[in-house]
Amino acid sequence: MSNLEFFKRQAKNLLKDWNSRKRIERKDGTYYYRYGKTFFDVKDLFKFFGLSMKDEESFCLQKAQHMIAQMVGFKNWDELNRTSDDFLELSELLLRHFKNSGDIIGWQMFFKDEVNTDDVKEIIKLAKNYFETMSKSKVQTEPVVLTGEERIQGLMRNLHVIGDFKMNSKVICMHCGDEFHYKDATVIRDPSDYKALVMCKNYPKCNGSLIDMQVIRKRTEHDDYSGVPFDWDMDNGISSEYDY
């Protein structure tokens, strides 16, 4: 199978994951979508690339191809198709290890800090070593759930990473739909970089992280969201879930 055929297949796999979605209704008439993760973490990637609710509901093969190209650093699908064989080889290597935004960001940080060459073949060698090291660390070390003072410090350090959270903020996890206070979230230590990560209260049953949490604001008598998607911004007509 050629490199381009590989990318075409991965775009179809991304679309398959999107087609697995289930609409979850809430008691108040709002809803959200839950996706399978056979090939990619669709919800996470939608957030990472800033897709709106409209984009989420009208996804298609062409948009899947565009996202696949973006995941490996190209502006669009056409640019990927026009690149050299060496860049296609590198891009295929990357995509084989990219399932969510964390995988992409991890490589981007490594590339920025450790790659000091424009030689694509040399970059391929560095990438293979990087992913081999990451694979071993995942096998050998599991995330550690923090408790006590370490847990509190982790919550405090992550308060303003995504939005303006407060310890007593009531949030909703967009992965499982559960509501809880931010102070009750689970905190783990990532074995790859030892940073404290805030996860859903229901971790590890739910793998929603801080980027999946939204503060639940109090409704006023002027609010009327009946029949409107939970993520929809009434003022701007875009999904606030994807705003950073």
mmCIF file of all heavy atoms in Angstrom, residues 220-243:
data_model
loop_
_atom_site.group_PDB
_atom_site.id
_atom_site.type_symbol
_atom_site.label_atom_id
_atom_site.label_comp_id
_atom_site.label_asym_id
_atom_site.label_seq_id
_atom_site.Cartn_x
_atom_site.Cartn_y
_atom_site.Cartn_z
ATOM 1 N N THR A 220 -30.607 32.107 34.214
ATOM 2 C CA THR A 220 -31.464 33.211 34.648
ATOM 3 C C THR A 220 -32.834 33.029 34.034
ATOM 4 O O THR A 220 -33.046 32.177 33.177
ATOM 5 C CB THR A 220 -30.888 34.571 34.203
ATOM 6 O OG1 THR A 220 -31.011 34.678 32.783
ATOM 7 C CG2 THR A 220 -29.410 34.683 34.587
ATOM 8 N N GLU A 221 -33.779 33.850 34.451
ATOM 9 C CA GLU A 221 -35.136 33.741 33.925
ATOM 10 C C GLU A 221 -35.196 34.102 32.448
ATOM 11 O O GLU A 221 -36.188 33.808 31.772
ATOM 12 C CB GLU A 221 -36.070 34.661 34.706
ATOM 13 C CG GLU A 221 -35.688 36.145 34.616
ATOM 14 C CD GLU A 221 -36.612 37.009 35.439
ATOM 15 O OE1 GLU A 221 -37.542 36.454 36.054
ATOM 16 O OE2 GLU A 221 -36.419 38.246 35.449
ATOM 17 N N HIS A 222 -34.119 34.708 31.903
ATOM 18 C CA HIS A 222 -34.095 35.101 30.502
ATOM 19 C C HIS A 222 -33.537 33.999 29.603
ATOM 20 O O HIS A 222 -33.607 34.094 28.390
ATOM 21 C CB HIS A 222 -33.262 36.379 30.320
ATOM 22 C CG HIS A 222 -33.773 37.523 31.142
ATOM 23 N ND1 HIS A 222 -34.986 38.121 30.914
ATOM 24 C CD2 HIS A 222 -33.207 38.156 32.198
ATOM 25 C CE1 HIS A 222 -35.164 39.108 31.800
ATOM 26 N NE2 HIS A 222 -34.093 39.148 32.584
ATOM 27 N N ASP A 223 -32.948 32.968 30.212
ATOM 28 C CA ASP A 223 -32.379 31.891 29.411
ATOM 29 C C ASP A 223 -33.473 30.989 28.856
ATOM 30 O O ASP A 223 -34.420 30.638 29.558
ATOM 31 C CB ASP A 223 -31.435 31.025 30.250
ATOM 32 C CG ASP A 223 -30.179 31.780 30.643
ATOM 33 O OD1 ASP A 223 -29.853 32.762 29.953
ATOM 34 O OD2 ASP A 223 -29.534 31.371 31.620
ATOM 35 N N ASP A 224 -33.330 30.617 27.605
ATOM 36 C CA ASP A 224 -34.250 29.662 27.007
ATOM 37 C C ASP A 224 -33.483 28.829 26.002
ATOM 38 O O ASP A 224 -33.341 29.186 24.841
ATOM 39 C CB ASP A 224 -35.416 30.369 26.313
ATOM 40 C CG ASP A 224 -36.413 29.376 25.727
ATOM 41 O OD1 ASP A 224 -36.309 28.175 26.086
ATOM 42 O OD2 ASP A 224 -37.262 29.786 24.929
ATOM 43 N N TYR A 225 -32.939 27.689 26.473
ATOM 44 C CA TYR A 225 -32.103 26.855 25.626
ATOM 45 C C TYR A 225 -32.824 25.584 25.184
ATOM 46 O O TYR A 225 -32.214 24.628 24.766
ATOM 47 C CB TYR A 225 -30.823 26.440 26.379
ATOM 48 C CG TYR A 225 -29.936 27.608 26.758
ATOM 49 C CD1 TYR A 225 -29.105 27.516 27.858
ATOM 50 C CD2 TYR A 225 -29.938 28.783 25.999
ATOM 51 C CE1 TYR A 225 -28.280 28.587 28.201
ATOM 52 C CE2 TYR A 225 -29.114 29.844 26.340
ATOM 53 C CZ TYR A 225 -28.291 29.742 27.441
ATOM 54 O OH TYR A 225 -27.474 30.773 27.777
ATOM 55 N N SER A 226 -34.126 25.569 25.304
ATOM 56 C CA SER A 226 -34.883 24.377 24.963
ATOM 57 C C SER A 226 -34.625 23.954 23.524
ATOM 58 O O SER A 226 -34.807 24.733 22.589
ATOM 59 C CB SER A 226 -36.374 24.650 25.163
ATOM 60 O OG SER A 226 -37.131 23.518 24.804
ATOM 61 N N GLY A 227 -34.195 22.705 23.364
ATOM 62 C CA GLY A 227 -33.968 22.170 22.023
ATOM 63 C C GLY A 227 -32.681 22.622 21.386
ATOM 64 O O GLY A 227 -32.398 22.303 20.235
ATOM 65 N N VAL A 228 -31.825 23.381 22.119
ATOM 66 C CA VAL A 228 -30.567 23.874 21.568
ATOM 67 C C VAL A 228 -29.430 23.008 22.077
ATOM 68 O O VAL A 228 -29.411 22.634 23.248
ATOM 69 C CB VAL A 228 -30.321 25.342 21.991
ATOM 70 C CG1 VAL A 228 -28.975 25.829 21.475
ATOM 71 C CG2 VAL A 228 -31.446 26.219 21.474
ATOM 72 N N PRO A 229 -28.477 22.608 21.218
ATOM 73 C CA PRO A 229 -27.343 21.797 21.676
ATOM 74 C C PRO A 229 -26.648 22.446 22.856
ATOM 75 O O PRO A 229 -26.496 23.671 22.894
ATOM 76 C CB PRO A 229 -26.427 21.747 20.445
ATOM 77 C CG PRO A 229 -27.355 21.939 19.305
ATOM 78 C CD PRO A 229 -28.404 22.896 19.791
ATOM 79 N N PHE A 230 -26.232 21.664 23.824
ATOM 80 C CA PHE A 230 -25.602 22.171 25.045
ATOM 81 C C PHE A 230 -24.411 23.057 24.741
ATOM 82 O O PHE A 230 -24.146 24.017 25.444
ATOM 83 C CB PHE A 230 -25.172 20.991 25.917
ATOM 84 C CG PHE A 230 -24.487 21.402 27.183
ATOM 85 C CD1 PHE A 230 -25.213 21.780 28.295
ATOM 86 C CD2 PHE A 230 -23.096 21.424 27.256
ATOM 87 C CE1 PHE A 230 -24.572 22.161 29.461
ATOM 88 C CE2 PHE A 230 -22.457 21.800 28.411
ATOM 89 C CZ PHE A 230 -23.196 22.163 29.517
ATOM 90 N N ASP A 231 -23.666 22.725 23.696
ATOM 91 C CA ASP A 231 -22.425 23.434 23.399
ATOM 92 C C ASP A 231 -22.650 24.719 22.614
ATOM 93 O O ASP A 231 -21.713 25.427 22.309
ATOM 94 C CB ASP A 231 -21.478 22.543 22.577
ATOM 95 C CG ASP A 231 -21.234 21.222 23.266
ATOM 96 O OD1 ASP A 231 -21.111 21.255 24.490
ATOM 97 O OD2 ASP A 231 -21.179 20.207 22.579
ATOM 98 N N TRP A 232 -23.892 25.012 22.236
ATOM 99 C CA TRP A 232 -24.137 26.118 21.318
ATOM 100 C C TRP A 232 -24.099 27.463 22.027
ATOM 101 O O TRP A 232 -24.710 27.638 23.085
ATOM 102 C CB TRP A 232 -25.486 25.933 20.647
ATOM 103 C CG TRP A 232 -25.599 26.708 19.365
ATOM 104 C CD1 TRP A 232 -26.297 27.846 19.159
ATOM 105 C CD2 TRP A 232 -24.984 26.398 18.117
ATOM 106 N NE1 TRP A 232 -26.164 28.262 17.869
ATOM 107 C CE2 TRP A 232 -25.366 27.398 17.207
ATOM 108 C CE3 TRP A 232 -24.148 25.377 17.678
ATOM 109 C CZ2 TRP A 232 -24.942 27.389 15.893
ATOM 110 C CZ3 TRP A 232 -23.742 25.380 16.374
ATOM 111 C CH2 TRP A 232 -24.147 26.372 15.508
ATOM 112 N N ASP A 233 -23.397 28.423 21.460
ATOM 113 C CA ASP A 233 -23.295 29.783 21.973
ATOM 114 C C ASP A 233 -24.398 30.623 21.335
ATOM 115 O O ASP A 233 -24.371 30.905 20.144
ATOM 116 C CB ASP A 233 -21.914 30.359 21.627
ATOM 117 C CG ASP A 233 -21.680 31.709 22.290
ATOM 118 O OD1 ASP A 233 -22.633 32.502 22.344
ATOM 119 O OD2 ASP A 233 -20.546 31.956 22.730
ATOM 120 N N MET A 234 -25.375 31.051 22.131
ATOM 121 C CA MET A 234 -26.541 31.742 21.588
ATOM 122 C C MET A 234 -26.183 33.096 20.979
ATOM 123 O O MET A 234 -26.840 33.595 20.079
ATOM 124 C CB MET A 234 -27.587 31.947 22.697
ATOM 125 C CG MET A 234 -28.158 30.640 23.233
ATOM 126 S SD MET A 234 -29.074 29.708 21.991
ATOM 127 C CE MET A 234 -30.490 30.783 21.781
ATOM 128 N N ASP A 235 -25.118 33.728 21.492
ATOM 129 C CA ASP A 235 -24.751 35.062 21.009
ATOM 130 C C ASP A 235 -23.950 35.010 19.717
ATOM 131 O O ASP A 235 -24.148 35.810 18.809
ATOM 132 C CB ASP A 235 -23.939 35.811 22.072
ATOM 133 C CG ASP A 235 -24.752 36.061 23.327
ATOM 134 O OD1 ASP A 235 -25.963 36.343 23.186
ATOM 135 O OD2 ASP A 235 -24.190 35.972 24.420
ATOM 136 N N ASN A 236 -23.021 34.027 19.630
ATOM 137 C CA ASN A 236 -22.109 34.008 18.494
ATOM 138 C C ASN A 236 -22.419 32.925 17.475
ATOM 139 O O ASN A 236 -21.835 32.888 16.397
ATOM 140 C CB ASN A 236 -20.668 33.810 18.986
ATOM 141 C CG ASN A 236 -20.240 34.929 19.906
ATOM 142 O OD1 ASN A 236 -20.470 36.079 19.595
ATOM 143 N ND2 ASN A 236 -19.623 34.591 21.028
ATOM 144 N N GLY A 237 -23.332 32.017 17.820
ATOM 145 C CA GLY A 237 -23.714 30.987 16.871
ATOM 146 C C GLY A 237 -22.644 29.945 16.633
ATOM 147 O O GLY A 237 -22.581 29.324 15.595
ATOM 148 N N ILE A 238 -21.720 29.779 17.594
ATOM 149 C CA ILE A 238 -20.678 28.770 17.459
ATOM 150 C C ILE A 238 -20.630 27.959 18.745
ATOM 151 O O ILE A 238 -21.190 28.352 19.761
ATOM 152 C CB ILE A 238 -19.288 29.391 17.196
ATOM 153 C CG1 ILE A 238 -18.893 30.340 18.342
ATOM 154 C CG2 ILE A 238 -19.278 30.120 15.875
ATOM 155 C CD1 ILE A 238 -17.507 30.883 18.201
ATOM 156 N N SER A 239 -19.983 26.838 18.690
ATOM 157 C CA SER A 239 -19.897 25.963 19.842
ATOM 158 C C SER A 239 -18.835 26.466 20.808
ATOM 159 O O SER A 239 -17.664 26.492 20.496
ATOM 160 C CB SER A 239 -19.559 24.537 19.396
ATOM 161 O OG SER A 239 -19.265 23.758 20.515
ATOM 162 N N SER A 240 -19.269 26.884 21.999
ATOM 163 C CA SER A 240 -18.302 27.384 22.970
ATOM 164 C C SER A 240 -17.353 26.300 23.430
ATOM 165 O O SER A 240 -16.300 26.569 23.965
ATOM 166 C CB SER A 240 -19.050 27.960 24.189
ATOM 167 O OG SER A 240 -19.877 26.967 24.771
ATOM 168 N N GLU A 241 -17.733 25.037 23.206
ATOM 169 C CA GLU A 241 -16.871 23.927 23.619
ATOM 170 C C GLU A 241 -15.530 23.970 22.912
ATOM 171 O O GLU A 241 -14.534 23.503 23.415
ATOM 172 C CB GLU A 241 -17.567 22.595 23.294
ATOM 173 C CG GLU A 241 -16.752 21.387 23.710
ATOM 174 C CD GLU A 241 -17.451 20.102 23.339
ATOM 175 O OE1 GLU A 241 -18.645 20.161 22.995
ATOM 176 O OE2 GLU A 241 -16.790 19.058 23.396
ATOM 177 N N TYR A 242 -15.491 24.580 21.725
ATOM 178 C CA TYR A 242 -14.258 24.557 20.952
ATOM 179 C C TYR A 242 -13.507 25.876 21.008
ATOM 180 O O TYR A 242 -12.567 26.089 20.277
ATOM 181 C CB TYR A 242 -14.588 24.214 19.499
ATOM 182 C CG TYR A 242 -15.330 22.910 19.398
ATOM 183 C CD1 TYR A 242 -16.663 22.870 19.037
ATOM 184 C CD2 TYR A 242 -14.691 21.714 19.698
ATOM 185 C CE1 TYR A 242 -17.353 21.663 18.970
ATOM 186 C CE2 TYR A 242 -15.347 20.515 19.628
ATOM 187 C CZ TYR A 242 -16.689 20.502 19.278
ATOM 188 O OH TYR A 242 -17.351 19.320 19.199
ATOM 189 N N ASP A 243 -13.960 26.803 21.849
ATOM 190 C CA ASP A 243 -13.261 28.086 21.969
ATOM 191 C C ASP A 243 -12.155 27.955 23.002
ATOM 192 O O ASP A 243 -12.351 27.392 24.070
ATOM 193 C CB ASP A 243 -14.229 29.195 22.430
ATOM 194 C CG ASP A 243 -15.273 29.484 21.372
ATOM 195 O OD1 ASP A 243 -15.079 29.103 20.222
ATOM 196 O OD2 ASP A 243 -16.289 30.086 21.751
#
